[in-house]
């Protein structure tokens, strides 16, 4: 069986049944491109070099608080075929314990515009906005860019938050071992390695 026809490992969603994903707090999300196609650039010497499509994705991410003032953006990285990011939902102007002021973090204003939104709505908007702009740029309207689903992890404490920040920061350096790297998708140990990370970060 060719590599192209091998079944690709699927991320195990840990979305909690009955959990309110509009609840204030921190969420780590991962979104993959359709068929894990490398669209956004390449890793060179441990650094992600964004192409034009990657720059579009970065801009759409940075603009999310303009559409959803009740969120803050934390660590974020674009990889060749997926993105990792931390979104902090702050509710109606309330700042959760996980949200601590740091340089570069997008603030969430208070007031009537800080309406409570769900994580799913925000992710859906990110995917829709970025896909539309990418397709406009490529003059290929309606072409799917992202996988239908996404992976999320509820960040429950500062220790977990800091581990995930380090994981995101180090992602380009660890691309050779990344479960989403097309070169190692057939490696059965890659899934176990990633699940081990989630076990210690919960």
């Amino acid at each position: 069986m060719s590599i192209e026809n091998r079944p690709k490992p699927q991320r195990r969603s840990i979305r909690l049944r009955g959990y309110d994903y509009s609840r204030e707090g921190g969420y780590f999300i991962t979104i993959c491109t359709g068929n894990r196609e490398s669209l956004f650039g390449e890793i060179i010497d441990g650094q992600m070099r964004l192409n034009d499509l990657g720059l579009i994705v970065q801009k759409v991410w940075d603009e999310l608080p303009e559409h959803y003032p009740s969120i803050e953006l934390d660590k974020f990285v674009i990889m060749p075929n997926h993105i990792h990011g931390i979104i902090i939902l702050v509710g109606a102007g309330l700042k959760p314990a996980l949200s601590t002021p740091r340089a570069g973090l997008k603030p969430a204003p208070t007031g009537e515009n800080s309406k409570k939104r769900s994580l799913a709505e925000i992710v859906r908007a990110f995917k829709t906005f970025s896909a539309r702009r990418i397709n406009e740029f490529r003059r290929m309207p309606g072409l799917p860019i992202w996988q239908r689903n996404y992976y999320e992890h509820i960040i429950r404490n500062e220790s977990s938050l800091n581990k995930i920040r380090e994981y995101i920061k180090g992602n380009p350096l660890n691309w050779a071992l990344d479960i989403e790297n097309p070169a190692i998708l057939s490696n059965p140990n890659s899934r176990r390695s990633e699940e081990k990370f989630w076990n210690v970060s919960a």
Side-chain angles (χ1 to χ4, degrees), residues 41-49 78-80 171-173 175-176:
E42 58 182 329
I43 304 291
I44 300 176
D45 296 331
Q47 294 187 348
M48 180 63 191
R49 306 294 176 87
I78 301 171
M79 300 294 287
N171 226 233
L173 281 173
W175 177 235

Side-chain angles (χ1 to χ4, degrees), residues 4 21-22 25 31 38 77 84 89 96 102 105 117 129 141 151 164 178 182 193 200-202:
E4 290 79 8
Y21 281 93
S22 64
I31 312 173
S38 294
V77 69
H84 293 301
L89 306 186
R102 290 176 307 281
L105 190 148
R117 304 288 188 176
F129 296 158
Y151 176 89
I164 292 170
D178 197 308
S193 175
V200 300
S201 68

